[in-house]
Every structure is written in C-alpha cells, then in structure tokens.
Amino acid sequence: MPEMNDRTCIVTRRPAEPDELIRFVVGPDRAVVPDLKRNLPGRGCWVTGDREHVDKAVKKGLFARSLKTEVSVPADLGDMVDRLLARSALGALGLARKAGVVALGATKVEASVRNGTALLVLHAAEASKDGQRKIAQARRATVHAGGPEIMAYKLFSEQELGLALGGTNVIHAAVLAGDAGRAAEKRTVALDRYRGGSPDELAMFAAIADGNVAAEDME
C-alpha cells in the first residue's frame, strides 16, 4: 500500500495541512524517527503536531500499524520531539538575529509592536508580570487601532533566549518582518502548538474581538 499522501493523522484519522502535523519515518535501526523537515526517505506516517497525539500514538502502538513493519519506538519519543522542535525554533531565532530582524529589550519590543513591524513577541520564563503587562497593553492598542494581532510566547528561559539571540539578560524580544523572521515565527508556532498552545493569548484576542463587535453594535 502506498504511503498516505493525504497526510492523515494516524491517531485521529483526519487529514490536515503539513504544518499541523509531524512526520515520522523508520530509521536504519528500525527506530521511529521524527522528520520535522519532512524530507527523510522511506515510508512515513503523520501525527497531529502536539504532545498529546504523539503520546497517544506511542501508547496505542499506532506507528507499527501505520508503517506496516516492526519498529522500535523510543520511550521518550514525546520528549525527543519537544527537544527537536525547541532546537529548531532557537536556531531559527538565531538566524533571525543575524539577519537583523530581532528587537531586544522591553522598550524596543513595545515600539515594534506599536508600529506593527513585530511578527511575534517572546517573553523569557523569568519575565515579570509587570513587564509582560506593558507589552500586552501595546499589543491590545495595536489591535484596537486596526493593526495586526501580535502573539506573545513564553517558551524559553532567559538563558536559552540569550544564547540564541546573542545577548545577556534577554527577557523580552520581538521577531520582526522579513524572510528570516517569518521562518522563526513558523518554528515558534510549531513548538507552541506542540506544548499545548497559548490559551491565554487566544482568550485575550477573543475578548478584543468581542469588544470590537459590541462597539460596532452600539454605533
């Protein structure tokens, strides 16, 4: 039977776009290997791109069934995928910095949000609520003014951001528009999705949208 070209998740049995899935292949040692770039040779299978579905595929023995061969599934496959996605995102952030499309520091981040050049905001795990709140206010103001919805992510420690972005005490950063910036955005979103998404962020923008609708209804 040919490989499922429609990219159907082996857990949900539902097709999805490539960016919403993670591809897995069988390595030379018969172990299941994540193929984040989707370019490794051989028969592959697809899993919805979050930790919950990867863990379900492991628990239910779905890799061997889908790949139609005896395979070895690493016990820490879920952790392995997380590490690979984080490494990919941090690497892309480093390339974005080299391309000059990263703003560092609360003042520059807030300015990039208000002028609409930021694609996304990054807060270190150690970021204070006060620092996050000021930038969130700028993001809300940008949306109210008709600008873009700029998501904020809290995925890395201060040390991880510092190593990737070539700075010290990197608490707040923004990725700016440009090819390298969009590549970093894509990988950051993939990691966030794998870790369960950012419900607080989505709730904030939903509240903004509801407020805008209510204001229009009153006019």
Side-chain angles (χ1 to χ4, degrees), residues 10 24-34 42-45 57-75 77:
I10 64 175
F24 293 86
V25 299
V26 182
D29 58 355
R30 311 306 298 169
V32 172
V33 178
R43 176 187 291 274
C45 64
V58 174
K59 183 178 180 179
K60 295 183 177 181
L62 299 181
F63 288 108
R65 188 185 308 173
S66 177
L67 294 166
K68 301 189 182 304
T69 187
E70 185 175 338
V71 297
S72 169
V73 181
L77 185 62

Side-chain angles (χ1 to χ4, degrees), residues 53-135:
H53 287 87
V54 171
D55 286 346
K56 282 184 178 179
V58 174
K59 183 178 180 179
K60 295 183 177 181
L62 299 181
F63 288 108
R65 188 185 308 173
S66 177
L67 294 166
K68 301 189 182 304
T69 187
E70 185 175 338
V71 297
S72 169
V73 181
D76 64 341
L77 185 62
D79 290 334
M80 181 192 304
V81 174
D82 187 281
R83 290 193 299 270
L84 290 172
L85 286 170
R87 186 185 307 164
S88 176
L90 288 167
L93 289 171
L95 293 176
R97 175 188 65 83
K98 292 178 181 178
V101 290
V102 170
L104 299 179
T107 301
K108 291 183 179 179
V109 169
E110 183 177 344
S112 70
V113 167
R114 291 188 180 278
N115 64 29
T117 59
L119 294 176
L120 62 91
V121 169
L122 295 167
H123 297 302
E126 298 86 348
S128 69
K129 290 184 178 180
D130 184 55
Q132 294 177 69
R133 182 167 55 250
K134 291 179 180 178
I135 293 173

Side-chain angles (χ1 to χ4, degrees), residues 2-218:
E3 180 182 347
M4 292 183 292
N5 292 322
D6 60 350
R7 301 183 181 90
T8 299
C9 172
I10 64 175
V11 179
T12 66
R13 306 306 300 174
R14 290 195 292 266
E17 294 299 316
D19 286 346
E20 299 172 358
L21 300 164
I22 298 173
R23 184 175 187 258
F24 293 86
V25 299
V26 182
D29 58 355
R30 311 306 298 169
V32 172
V33 178
D35 179 19
L36 299 186
K37 295 184 178 180
R38 305 190 287 270
N39 60 4
L40 293 177
R43 176 187 291 274
C45 64
W46 303 81
V47 179
T48 298
D50 60 47
R51 177 67 180 266
E52 178 185 359
H53 287 87
V54 171
D55 286 346
K56 282 184 178 179
V58 174
K59 183 178 180 179
K60 295 183 177 181
L62 299 181
F63 288 108
R65 188 185 308 173
S66 177
L67 294 166
K68 301 189 182 304
T69 187
E70 185 175 338
V71 297
S72 169
V73 181
D76 64 341
L77 185 62
D79 290 334
M80 181 192 304
V81 174
D82 187 281
R83 290 193 299 270
L84 290 172
L85 286 170
R87 186 185 307 164
S88 176
L90 288 167
L93 289 171
L95 293 176
R97 175 188 65 83
K98 292 178 181 178
V101 290
V102 170
L104 299 179
T107 301
K108 291 183 179 179
V109 169
E110 183 177 344
S112 70
V113 167
R114 291 188 180 278
N115 64 29
T117 59
L119 294 176
L120 62 91
V121 169
L122 295 167
H123 297 302
E126 298 86 348
S128 69
K129 290 184 178 180
D130 184 55
Q132 294 177 69
R133 182 167 55 250
K134 291 179 180 178
I135 293 173
Q137 289 170 349
R139 292 162 52 222
R140 285 193 291 268
T142 299
V143 174
H144 279 304
E149 296 181 356
I150 301 168
M151 296 288 286
Y153 299 94
K154 199 172 184 180
L155 299 168
F156 304 111
S157 67
E158 175 186 345
Q159 182 180 24
E160 288 173 319
L161 286 178
L163 288 172
L165 300 176
T168 55
N169 302 320
V170 177
I171 302 297
H172 307 287
V175 176
L176 311 180
D179 290 345
R182 295 201 179 280
E185 178 186 34
K186 180 178 179 180
R187 288 163 175 76
T188 300
V189 169
L191 176 61
D192 182 64
R193 181 190 301 117
Y194 187 76
R195 291 181 175 177
S198 298
D200 291 344
E201 291 295 297
L202 298 175
M204 185 188 82
F205 283 121
I208 292 172
D210 290 343
N212 289 342
V213 170
E216 291 174 359
D217 290 343
M218 293 176 62

